[in-house]
Amino acid sequence: MKNKKLHMIGNAHLDPVWLWQWQEGFQETKATFRSALDRMKEYGDFLFTSSSAANYEWVERNEPGMFAEIKQRIEEGRWQIVGGWWIQPDCNIPGGESFVRQGLYGQRYFKEKFGVTAKVGYNVDSFGHHGMLPQILKKSGMDYYIMMRPMPSEKGLPGRLFQWESDDGSRVLAFRILFEYCTWGKELNKHVTRCAGELKAPYDELMCFYGVGNHGGGPTKENIESIRAMNADPAYPALEFSTPNRFFDEMERKGLTYPVVHDDLQHHASGCYAAHSGVKQWNRQAENKLLAAEKLSVFANWVTGQPYPGDYGQAWKNVLFNQFHDILAGTSIEPAYEDARNMYGEAMSIADRGLNDAVQSLSWNIHIAQEEGVKPIVVFNPHSWNSKAIVELEIGGMKETSLLVDDTGKPVPHQTVQSLATAGGRFRLCFVADLPPMGYRTYRLLPEASGPRAEAQPLKASDFAMENDRFRLEFDPQTGYIASLFDKKAQTEVFREAAARPVVFEDRSDTWSHNVFHFNQEIGAFKAASVKRVEHGPVKSVIRVTSEYERSVIVQDFSMYRELDRIDVKATVDWREPFKLLKLVFPVNLIFTRQSYEIPFGYIERAHNGEEEPGQSWIDYSGVTREGGAAYGISLMNDAKYSYSIHNKEMAMTVLRSPIYAHHDPLVPDPRGHYSFIDQGIQQFRYSLLPHEGGWERAGTVKRAAEINQRPVAVIESFHEGSLPQRDSYLSVEQDNIIVSAVKQAEDNDDMILRCYETAKIATEAVIRLPQRNREIRARFGPCEIKTFRIPKDGALPVTETNLLEW
């Protein structure tokens, strides 16, 4: 056996939040690190492996003496930094840019404080891993990856070691942990024996993880002494105190060939992608507020000299911390979500202040001539493409005779909708703004028309049907479901049966839904209490469907627009049901289908087998129409949800689950006990239906979903002199399949960092323009490739491509 080796990886899995709040995790971090340092003093050959920059920042701030000891042990090579991320996050729910920031802030922290960066990605307890992670890891300085879930019973892999490949061709050498990442505090004979059984030619070396974990603790004296005793026993393989870096170095030297896995790594804890709607919505909102704020703050800094905020880093750290897998997955105790709400709230407040400073600095410098009774409105577009977006804003002093015009004086159709203030003198203005790429446009609200008004007529709309030039939408007055969505241009019925149907399923699984892969035990459905038209004008019509199920109510406001070819829905759910799950179901009228799910920086096609699947802001169901055999599809987009299923041509978005907080199998709840259930009460979110000819790539699904999540920003201005024009654009990209995901100030100077990615798995020559700087960037993107550019403020200096760490 001594010709085979187990690398013994001493670690302490430390959940900073789970069945406890972060304050307890803070204390346990210090206790665990103290224990690891003490073991090093007692055993000269003991090595320790640890991740997560957030834990080190806690120690640095609260126990600087111990922090200095850790630094010394890192310099000696006995304490190894892995992970390179701020925390071990959920690896499906965060947006692509969040994964970049995990590495940006984590790796730069480790480099600044310890002079090292992680070479090994490390997410041992995350419940699934999206398929674009290899590229993100590689471009964050990590060539290797360690994970454990999904377990072999949940996903078959060709071996414990495999090359994991993303769509751009990036590969990392990945290792799936044997059995578990933590052990009890006594001898390790049983654990080592079963791990030794996994040593199979040609892989005669593997890693064996040990150390008390979850609530911290780390390797104990008995652990270490039992390893020494077994190593002296010829019945065991060679046991070596080691680190992941040493293991991967040795495997690389062997020159072995490894199987390639080109896939995401699912399914474990399928229910966690719908558990706790609140934390998932806060995460989506915070990510998008920060991204919009960064973009406009950079341009305000370059155009008006407005200082770029120095606290965006702290805001991102708040977001990244709460992406920890047991927080964002919804699997922690209830008070942990009060903490998460507060931290997300701080992040969003920072973003709101920075965004407001940026847009008001720009709008204040626009030359706006004085006109009696006129209200100037400046609308900003945070996206790098021309955007036709719905704008709604509260405003005072409107009249029935008011006229809205654009910067050329052309009348713009508008209407008033119900104000958020139930008081006199306040109105809510609604119009479609046609906005230049990553720029702004100035509109004026005149007290009355001095010339011709916009000749826009309202849609055809009744209580049960709406129709524009593209679609006719009908509702069943008895059920409140969509009875028909007919595409007049394509001459096809989009749905084959009643759609937008709120369906209730039994769900008695624990918070993670361990060993549950389908939620299909339908036990009821909401039925309409009322269906009526509530808004009607030249911009949009709205039909409100109010439905009830036992003690719960869902209100869906379906909006159809004169100018836009999509259906927007504002949903308000008042949920009062324990041990149940709610889906919105859409039976699609297509054959020869493919099912696409957005993942960070890309997409993946999956089978329509009914499994609960994680996804980002959109999924798409495309195929061929039954009637004419034409290519057709429908995209389902939203601003808050991450869990979907598709079964027998039935597309569904999981709205919520209602398990007990932090309930973990095999514990069986007492039927007479009192428990707190997740997602009880009121929540709001938005979703959109985008029927389209051809595939989603041609329909612009990625852009439309981004517009739903990063909405235009409107400022009611006044009259003033200024050097800026009535409209302007600061950044654009020629190619539709290249998306700008981030524009920010560099971490180390005032350069601009510009990040883009390809969306459709098509190699593309892209042209990126910054007209105000006379800059033009030409770059070749591989399929789903992420590229990051550094653009100096000094126009004489060249644009350079950099990695995700800005190095």
Side-chain angles (χ1 to χ4, degrees):
M1 285 292 284
K2 294 303 181 184
N3 62 337
K4 298 181 180 181
K5 182 193 296 185
L6 286 178
H7 291 251
M8 303 303 296
I9 309 299
N11 79 107
H13 185 64
L14 244 171
D15 289 333
V17 176
W18 179 29
L19 307 180
W20 45 85
Q21 291 174 259
W22 69 264
Q23 295 89 343
E24 187 173 339
F26 189 115
Q27 197 284 328
E28 185 54 41
T29 296
K30 293 188 295 182
T32 297
F33 284 6
R34 181 70 268 156
S35 175
L37 291 166
D38 290 344
R39 300 294 81 74
M40 287 183 176
K41 291 177 182 177
E42 296 159 352
Y43 302 96
D45 52 352
F46 170 67
L47 304 176
F48 185 66
T49 293
S50 182
S51 71
S52 302
N55 291 343
Y56 292 87
E57 189 180 63
W58 279 349
V59 175
E60 179 189 21
R61 191 170 71 233
N62 196 248
E63 186 46 55
M66 183 160 60
F67 190 78
E69 284 186 67
I70 293 171
K71 184 175 181 179
Q72 178 187 345
R73 294 304 189 184
I74 290 172
E75 290 172 355
E76 294 172 359
R78 296 186 60 196
W79 183 303
Q80 185 160 105
I81 298 294
V82 294
W85 284 3
W86 197 249
I87 209 77
Q88 291 186 39
D90 180 273
C91 289
N92 282 308
I93 300 173
E97 195 59 32
S98 285
F99 288 102
V100 172
R101 303 309 171 94
Q102 288 284 352
L104 179 71
Y105 293 111
Q107 292 281 54
R108 293 180 75 97
Y109 179 87
F110 289 136
K111 184 67 173 177
E112 176 190 349
K113 303 300 180 180
F114 305 127
V116 302
T117 55
K119 306 301 182 188
V120 178
Y122 190 86
N123 290 299
V124 300
D125 196 28
S126 300
F127 308 142
H129 310 258
H130 72 82
M132 289 297 289
L133 271 178
Q135 181 179 187
I136 296 169
L137 290 163
K138 292 285 281 191
K139 292 184 175 179
S140 301
M142 289 174 277
D143 295 324
Y144 310 101
Y145 193 56
I146 297 174
M147 43 74 69
M148 187 178 74
R149 311 182 195 283
M151 305 289 277
S153 61
E154 296 161 331
K155 183 177 181 66
L157 292 172
R160 292 290 182 178
L161 274 164
F162 57 94
Q163 292 281 0
W164 188 24
E165 181 181 69
S166 53
D167 286 333
D168 70 305
S170 296
R171 290 182 179 182
V172 293
L173 182 57
F175 178 83
R176 179 157 65 180
I177 290 175
L178 312 178
F179 301 103
E180 56 186 327
Y181 49 75
C182 58
T183 57
W184 73 325
K186 304 297 182 181
E187 73 281 348
L188 300 173
N189 303 59
K190 289 183 179 179
H191 180 56
V192 168
T193 298
R194 64 186 179 183
C195 289
E198 296 286 315
L199 289 163
K200 300 171 185 176
Y203 310 121
D204 56 3
E205 298 185 32
L206 291 173
M207 287 187 282
C208 176
F209 284 69
Y210 73 98
V212 178
N214 287 339
H215 195 263
T220 65
K221 295 179 182 180
E222 287 163 290
N223 288 166
I224 295 168
E225 288 168 2
S226 71
I227 291 170
R228 286 180 163 182
M230 285 184 284
N231 201 31
D233 186 337
Y236 290 93
L239 305 183
E240 179 181 291
F241 293 109
S242 188
T243 65
N245 282 26
R246 290 189 184 185
F247 168 75
F248 284 115
D249 284 346
E250 290 197 18
M251 299 310 290
E252 292 281 21
R253 283 196 293 271
K254 292 177 183 290
L256 299 171
T257 299
Y258 300 96
V260 177
V261 174
H262 189 115
D263 197 3
D264 60 2
L265 305 179
Q266 316 294 355
H267 298 88
H268 178 83
S270 297
C272 71
Y273 300 110
H276 206 291
S277 297
V279 74
K280 292 172 172 62
Q281 187 170 55
W282 304 331
N283 182 73
R284 183 82 65 84
Q285 290 172 340
E287 287 176 329
N288 281 284
K289 278 182 182 290
L290 278 166
L291 292 172
E294 285 178 337
K295 294 173 192 174
L296 290 165
S297 292
V298 166
F299 290 115
N301 175 252
W302 282 33
V303 173
T304 71
Q306 173 69 30
Y308 189 86
D311 49 2
Y312 284 162
Q314 181 58 54
W316 271 111
K317 288 177 182 180
N318 284 10
V319 173
L320 301 178
F321 181 84
N322 285 293
Q323 290 173 344
F324 180 70
H325 52 268
D326 278 315
I327 304 175
L328 191 51
T331 53
S332 293
I333 59 173
E334 188 171 12
Y337 293 99
E338 297 176 13
D339 297 332
R341 176 201 62 202
N342 296 343
M343 292 179 71
Y344 275 119
E346 181 184 34
M348 286 190 267
S349 292
I350 290 170
D352 279 336
R353 286 195 296 271
L355 179 62
N356 181 69
D357 284 348
V359 298
Q360 294 227 25
S361 173
L362 290 164
S363 67
W364 189 255
N365 281 276
I366 298 170
H367 181 77
I368 302 176
Q370 185 166 350
E371 297 177 85
E372 188 66 31
V374 172
K375 292 183 183 296
I377 302 169
V378 184
V379 185
F380 291 85
N381 175 19
H383 301 292
S384 58
W385 56 86
N386 180 271
S387 178
K388 294 189 72 172
I390 287 290
V391 175
E392 290 191 9
L393 73 159
E394 296 290 310
I395 197 166
M398 279 193 68
K399 302 178 181 179
E400 289 187 8
T401 58
S402 291
L403 176 70
L404 184 68
V405 298
D406 64 19
D407 55 300
T408 69
K410 180 182 176 182
V412 176
H414 72 279
Q415 70 187 72
T416 55
V417 295
Q418 183 174 348
S419 171
L420 301 182
T422 308
R426 292 295 286 179
F427 304 87
R428 190 164 182 82
L429 174 66
C430 174
F431 64 98
V432 175
D434 192 350
L435 302 173
M438 207 163 288
Y440 64 85
R441 190 172 188 182
T442 305
Y443 294 82
R444 292 176 296 142
L445 186 65
L446 311 179
E448 57 188 25
S450 57
R453 301 181 66 88
E455 297 182 0
Q457 296 301 314
L459 309 177
K460 297 177 184 178
S462 66
D463 281 341
F464 308 118
M466 299 184 286
E467 185 173 354
N468 61 13
D469 291 342
R470 178 70 185 270
F471 300 117
R472 177 173 175 80
L473 178 64
E474 300 178 20
F475 293 88
D476 183 321
Q478 301 303 313
T479 64
Y481 309 151
I482 292 176
S484 171
L485 176 55
F486 186 73
D487 186 329
K488 297 190 291 183
K489 181 182 177 185
Q491 287 293 296
T492 191
E493 190 69 52
V494 178
F495 300 121
R496 61 183 172 85
E497 294 175 1
R501 186 164 56 98
V503 180
V504 181
F505 297 82
E506 184 176 38
D507 175 21
R508 293 194 169 272
S509 60
D510 68 1
T511 317
W512 290 255
S513 299
H514 282 114
N515 301 312
V516 176
F517 304 101
H518 303 80
F519 297 99
N520 51 17
Q521 297 181 39
E522 182 175 339
I523 56 174
F526 283 74
K527 295 297 171 61
S530 71
V531 182
K532 62 181 178 180
R533 190 187 75 183
V534 294
E535 302 282 2
H536 187 53
V539 177
K540 68 174 181 176
S541 291
V542 179
I543 291 177
R544 176 171 296 153
V545 179
T546 302
S547 305
E548 298 174 345
Y549 170 82
E550 295 191 357
R551 296 186 300 150
S552 299
V553 178
I554 180 170
V555 180
Q556 297 188 80
D557 286 354
F558 293 84
S559 295
M560 178 178 278
Y561 306 101
R562 188 180 61 84
E563 295 185 51
L564 305 178
D565 290 342
R566 70 171 193 258
I567 311 298
D568 286 349
V569 187
K570 177 184 175 183
T572 303
V573 181
D574 187 356
W575 184 251
R576 306 288 172 178
E577 316 298 328
F579 292 126
K580 295 174 186 173
L581 176 147
L582 173 63
K583 294 187 180 217
L584 285 168
V585 176
F586 303 86
V588 181
N589 189 32
L590 297 170
I591 56 177
F592 303 119
T593 61
R594 66 179 178 121
Q595 301 74 227
S596 304
Y597 295 69
E598 184 190 23
I599 63 175
F601 289 130
Y603 72 95
I604 190 168
E605 293 183 11
R606 295 177 173 136
H608 61 132
N609 57 14
E611 285 196 58
E612 199 72 11
E613 301 280 8
Q616 295 266 300
S617 63
W618 62 268
I619 62 171
D620 182 84
Y621 201 114
S622 291
V624 173
T625 59
R626 292 176 182 272
E627 300 86 356
Y632 198 84
I634 180 169
S635 298
L636 172 61
M637 309 172 291
N638 76 84
D639 70 352
K641 302 300 176 183
Y642 295 92
S643 197
Y644 308 90
S645 62
I646 299 176
H647 190 228
N648 293 337
K649 297 185 171 58
E650 195 168 76
M651 178 170 62
M653 176 172 66
T654 304
V655 174
L656 55 83
R657 296 180 56 237
S658 50
I660 297 170
Y661 272 96
H663 168 215
H664 198 301
D665 281 347
L667 191 146
V668 178
D670 184 343
R672 298 165 298 178
H674 177 76
Y675 302 100
S676 187
F677 290 84
I678 295 176
D679 271 3
Q680 302 297 293
I682 296 173
Q683 61 168 278
Q684 288 188 340
F685 64 96
R686 296 175 186 269
Y687 70 91
S688 294
L689 301 171
L690 181 67
H692 55 81
E693 295 179 289
W696 58 263
E697 300 92 337
R698 177 177 149 196
T701 294
V702 176
K703 291 182 176 180
R704 302 295 83 80
E707 289 168 346
I708 291 167
N709 283 276
Q710 282 182 47
R711 296 177 179 272
V713 181
V715 177
I716 301 172
E717 260 299 347
S718 54
F719 311 115
H720 38 65
E721 296 289 327
S723 59
L724 300 184
Q726 295 283 295
R727 63 179 290 171
D728 212 342
S729 172
Y730 298 125
L731 172 66
S732 64
V733 183
E734 277 190 3
Q735 290 69 23
D736 286 339
N737 59 318
I738 302 297
I739 295 293
V740 173
S741 65
V743 182
K744 62 182 286 291
Q745 189 175 87
E747 295 298 309
D748 50 8
N749 60 20
D750 61 359
D751 290 351
M752 177 191 296
I753 297 295
L754 169 64
R755 190 157 20 258
C756 310
Y757 69 101
E758 196 282 322
T759 62
K761 300 185 184 178
I762 300 170
T764 301
E765 292 278 355
V767 180
I768 304 161
R769 293 191 172 91
L770 292 93
Q772 304 307 316
R773 293 281 157 172
N774 294 316
R775 293 275 199 182
E776 184 174 281
I777 304 169
R778 293 182 177 269
R780 180 168 183 80
F781 286 76
C784 289
E785 185 177 5
I786 308 161
K787 282 186 177 289
T788 305
F789 302 97
R790 178 183 284 268
I791 305 167
K793 215 170 192 179
D794 183 347
L797 298 176
V799 175
T800 56
E801 187 172 348
T802 184
N803 65 12
L804 299 181
L805 306 180
E806 302 176 17
W807 289 339

